[in-house]
Amino acid sequence: MRAVIAFGVAILPLVIGITWKPPEKATDFSLYQIYPRSYKDNDGDGIGDLRGVIQRLDHFTESNIDAVWLSPIFRSPMVDFGYDISNFTEIEPIFGTMKDFEDLLKAAHDRNLSVILDFVPNHTSNQHEWFKKSVQGIPPYDNYYVWHPGRMENGTRKPPNNWVSAMSGPAWEWKDERQAYYLHQFGSEQPDLNYYSPEVKREMEAILRFWLDKGIDGFRIDAMKYIYEDQRLLDEPLSGLTDDPNAIEYTQKIYTTDLQSTYDILPTWRQILDEYEQPKYIMVEVYSSTSATMKYYKYGADFAFNFDLITKLTINSTAADIKHIIDSWYNTMPEGSTPNWVAGNHDRSRLIKRVGEPRARAVTTFVLLLPGVGVTYYGEEIGMTEEYISWEQTVDPLGRKSGKANYQSTSRDPVRTPFQWNNSVSGGFSSNYHTWLPVNNNYKTLNLADEKKDKNSYYTFYEKLSKLKKSTQFKQATLVTKVLDEYVFAFARETEKHGSVYAITNFGNKASTVDLSVFDNIPRKLKVYYATADSKVLPWKSVGQVRRVTMPARSVVILTTLDAKF
Ligand SMILES: *[C@@H]1O[C@H](CO)[C@@H](O)[C@H](O)[C@H]1NC(C)=O
Ligand SMILES: *[C@@H]1O[C@H](CO)[C@@H](O)[C@H](O)[C@H]1NC(C)=O
Ligand SMILES: *[C@@H]1O[C@H](CO)[C@@H](O)[C@H](O)[C@H]1NC(C)=O
Ligand SMILES: *[C@@H]1O[C@H](CO)[C@@H](O)[C@H](O)[C@H]1NC(C)=O
Ligand SMILES: *[C@@H]1O[C@H](CO)[C@@H](O)[C@H](O)[C@H]1NC(C)=O
Ligand SMILES: CC(=O)N[C@H]1CO[C@H](CO)[C@@H](O)[C@@H]1O
Ligand SMILES: [Ca+2]
Ligand SMILES: [Ca+2]
């Protein structure tokens, strides 16, 4: 048996791992995404609010979170649940008042918790005063949005070009009153701002200052790559992927995404943030090629969100695939920058839905124990799953637009259900039996209060790993990645003086016995810091045979050196 393993290891060329040393002043913290409608309802109307967040700030402290990012809380008709803003400096009454926000900020800072706001610069709501005035052609607002009379084809008026909206359908909407089309890269209720207008640029800068003056710690920039469009308004080349001119993937987005001017605006925002004494963060949301994404680092983002664990990792990933996903980020990121790991957000299927519970723990291990910023989407810490939502209950515009037959493949509602606090009414989320989206039926057993009492729960596991991440010595530990078997991927976080940690994950459906001595200088004896419940290694207090560690199917084992001080 031993010979077979030795042979198996020997023929794997990928045993050689990357080694990545965190920079001296590494930015390494835990960031939590709050979806405010679904975190905690304080006033009992069935929708989460800012007072609810204040009530539950201790959850962040207990979960070793350093910073929270709030999805939009600004005045909005809520067509896209806050990503359609009608006033950027006002709090949406559903969520509370400015006083509530100020209280939240103070209470968070008292706990050493940073607060990041969502900045949505690409578009406003069609209910914004600017847009109403623009429709009427009142200067300077007439130029705040992108207007075009369209082109005549055989006597029929057509949109200026073939651009498609990210919500599907043409990116242009006709407005009789103005006798012109306006551009909307998202829904038609979300008109794109015209960044070629100097007034628009000034307005947006004033909005950044408004919130920075209140004392917030930075911005997460929404849909960054869509800010500028090419002014020639040329047709985009066809992708060849579909014949449907209304499908998002119909065109190659060369004139509507990642334009050089979009990069160039970032340093002007960076400069504003840098005028403040305390460090302020800029994190940008871009789903683009790795090279286009990396470029945002160079233009002043602290980091661009790394969605590779969502877009590239699947239930079938091999250890080599996983290693490639992880190594590529460290290898292509500009030197001295901040890595980051994301496993879910309010637009994508929940982690557990994508890979199942046992493998989800492996992914959470990557998010929390790889160097850099680890992002937790609310509910991931308790292993929340998706709930079936009927057509009648569906509220997401993406789902509604797809119709009853297809909504299940597009609706984002299932990943936005209320947080499950305990096993009483509405999972402890609200005193109201009726909530804006139904609480997942599994709340009776899957909830924070019960998970705190269960040593094998997702939360207990999460809490343990997040605690490790918080250690200053651990943040400085060098990363080494290895493939140990077809589905067994492992990484080490090594230090010279404070000990080391070894995380071993088996993504496969079969048990596998692996040899950890491929890690240089690994001691003969190690402590078990965490092991999957059904794992045979659970009873071990220590591992004496690093050359033969049996990893059950779909398992995670985390070992530390005996001298580890994290
Ligand atoms: C946004 O709201 C603030 C506070 O109510 C108000 O002073 C401001 O005029 C509004 N801005 C716009 C553009 O409507
Ligand atoms: C507050 O957080 C910062 C950054 O994470 C850390 O350096 C500092 O030690 C913390 N202070 C307290 C009092 O916890
Ligand atoms: C205009 O009409 C002519 C004649 O009906 C037709 O051949 C042509 O394809 C049309 N052009 C466009 C752009 O629809
Ligand atoms: C995983 O593999 C199975 C079996 O080959 C296949 O049916 C499934 O579509 C794959 N899933 C993904 C997400 O690649
Ligand atoms: C669940 O949480 C709600 C809201 O905080 C609280 O009122 C209720 O007493 C809790 N129930 C249990 C059983 O802890
Ligand atoms: C992940 C994320 O924030 N996605 C948002 C991107 O922007 C569009 C339009 O503002 C939203 O609909 C998405 O929810
Ligand atoms: Ca409420
Ligand atoms: Ca735009």
Side-chain angles (χ1 to χ4, degrees), residues 29 66 112 470:
F29 60 85
D66 304 294
N112 204 16
K470 197 140 179 123

Side-chain angles (χ1 to χ4, degrees), residues 455-456 528 530-542 557:
K455 69 178 181 18
N456 292 323
V528 179
Y530 171 80
T532 309
D534 65 351
S535 146
K536 299 255 169 27
V537 303
L538 187 68
W540 300 354
K541 281 284 182 272
S542 59
V557 171

Side-chain angles (χ1 to χ4, degrees), residues 220-240:
R220 173 266 186 190
I221 303 180
D222 177 68
M224 178 82 203
K225 70 175 179 176
Y226 298 96
I227 290 184
Y228 275 92
E229 294 79 24
D230 191 305
Q231 278 186 300
R232 293 169 297 171
L233 304 186
L234 300 172
D235 273 355
E236 288 187 320
L238 303 189
S239 66

Side-chain angles (χ1 to χ4, degrees), residues 339-398:
N340 73 96
W341 298 97
V342 183
N345 60 38
H346 61 279
D347 281 346
R348 301 296 174 129
S349 300
R350 279 203 176 266
L351 171 60
I352 288 190
K353 164 96 174 184
R354 300 196 310 271
V355 301
E357 212 269 28
R359 286 185 184 87
R361 293 193 187 214
V363 179
T364 298
T365 304
F366 306 150
V367 170
L368 294 180
L369 300 189
L370 289 170
V373 174
V375 185
T376 301
Y377 177 51
Y378 89 95
E380 273 174 0
E381 74 276 34
I382 55 169
M384 270 175 66
T385 60
E386 293 189 17
E387 176 63 304
Y388 165 78
I389 311 251
S390 70
W391 169 246
E392 288 69 31
Q393 291 166 319
T394 295
V395 291
D396 178 29
L398 261 184

Side-chain angles (χ1 to χ4, degrees), residues 313-317 354-355:
L313 180 135
T314 76
I315 192 164
N316 299 327
S317 294
R354 300 196 310 271
V355 301

Side-chain angles (χ1 to χ4, degrees), residues 148-438:
H148 194 278
R151 60 195 153 94
M152 296 306 281
E153 250 177 35
N154 283 352
T156 316
R157 194 186 294 276
K158 292 274 177 63
N161 57 34
N162 70 349
W163 296 355
V164 195
S165 125
M167 302 267 191
S168 78
W172 299 94
E173 181 87 0
W174 177 255
K175 203 80 187 156
D176 265 339
E177 194 177 346
R178 173 106 183 215
Q179 285 292 299
Y181 289 94
Y182 64 86
L183 175 73
H184 60 91
Q185 292 226 51
F186 289 88
S188 59
E189 301 89 351
Q190 294 160 297
D192 272 50
L193 284 164
N194 172 22
Y195 276 84
Y196 295 103
S197 149
E199 283 90 355
V200 164
K201 280 181 157 162
R202 270 202 298 276
E203 299 264 22
M204 300 316 277
E205 290 171 5
I207 290 160
L208 293 176
R209 286 203 169 88
F210 177 87
W211 292 107
L212 291 164
D213 288 345
K214 290 230 173 269
I216 66 146
D217 303 285
F219 295 97
R220 173 266 186 190
I221 303 180
D222 177 68
M224 178 82 203
K225 70 175 179 176
Y226 298 96
I227 290 184
Y228 275 92
E229 294 79 24
D230 191 305
Q231 278 186 300
R232 293 169 297 171
L233 304 186
L234 300 172
D235 273 355
E236 288 187 320
L238 303 189
S239 66
L241 297 173
T242 169
D243 292 333
D244 176 4
N246 287 322
I248 303 161
E249 63 275 16
Y250 181 63
T251 54
Q252 294 174 40
K253 310 280 181 281
I254 61 166
Y255 297 131
T256 51
T257 66
D258 296 323
L259 260 60
Q260 184 54 44
S261 13
T262 294
Y263 290 103
D264 290 338
I265 200 165
L266 207 44
T268 66
W269 291 344
R270 174 86 260 169
Q271 208 177 354
I272 292 170
L273 271 74
D274 288 346
E275 288 166 15
Y276 292 78
E277 212 172 301
Q278 296 292 324
K280 307 286 181 192
Y281 294 103
I282 294 187
M283 1 190 135
V284 303
E285 181 216 25
V286 270
Y287 286 93
S288 275
S289 68
T290 305
S291 60
T293 304
M294 290 299 166
K295 206 169 150 185
Y296 287 96
Y297 273 110
K298 299 193 186 124
Y299 283 79
D302 288 281
F303 56 89
F305 284 101
N306 172 356
F307 296 121
D308 291 352
L309 294 177
I310 302 177
T311 56
K312 296 182 181 161
L313 180 135
T314 76
I315 192 164
N316 299 327
S317 294
T318 63
D321 296 336
I322 295 172
K323 183 171 178 301
H324 180 72
I325 288 169
I326 292 172
D327 291 358
S328 325
W329 194 270
Y330 293 98
N331 286 337
T332 50
M333 194 182 59
E335 201 159 329
S337 330
T338 301
N340 73 96
W341 298 97
V342 183
N345 60 38
H346 61 279
D347 281 346
R348 301 296 174 129
S349 300
R350 279 203 176 266
L351 171 60
I352 288 190
K353 164 96 174 184
R354 300 196 310 271
V355 301
E357 212 269 28
R359 286 185 184 87
R361 293 193 187 214
V363 179
T364 298
T365 304
F366 306 150
V367 170
L368 294 180
L369 300 189
L370 289 170
V373 174
V375 185
T376 301
Y377 177 51
Y378 89 95
E380 273 174 0
E381 74 276 34
I382 55 169
M384 270 175 66
T385 60
E386 293 189 17
E387 176 63 304
Y388 165 78
I389 311 251
S390 70
W391 169 246
E392 288 69 31
Q393 291 166 319
T394 295
V395 291
D396 178 29
L398 261 184
R400 299 294 314 177
K401 270 174 202 162
S402 306
K404 191 170 178 175
N406 298 317
Y407 80 96
Q408 284 196 58
S409 62
T410 57
S411 174
R412 298 167 293 181
D413 290 336
V415 308
R416 300 174 174 182
T417 58
F419 189 91
Q420 295 161 216
W421 294 99
N422 65 27
N423 62 11
S424 52
V425 179
S426 290
F429 163 73
S430 176
S431 56
N432 200 323
Y433 282 90
H434 187 78
T435 52
W436 80 283
L437 279 175

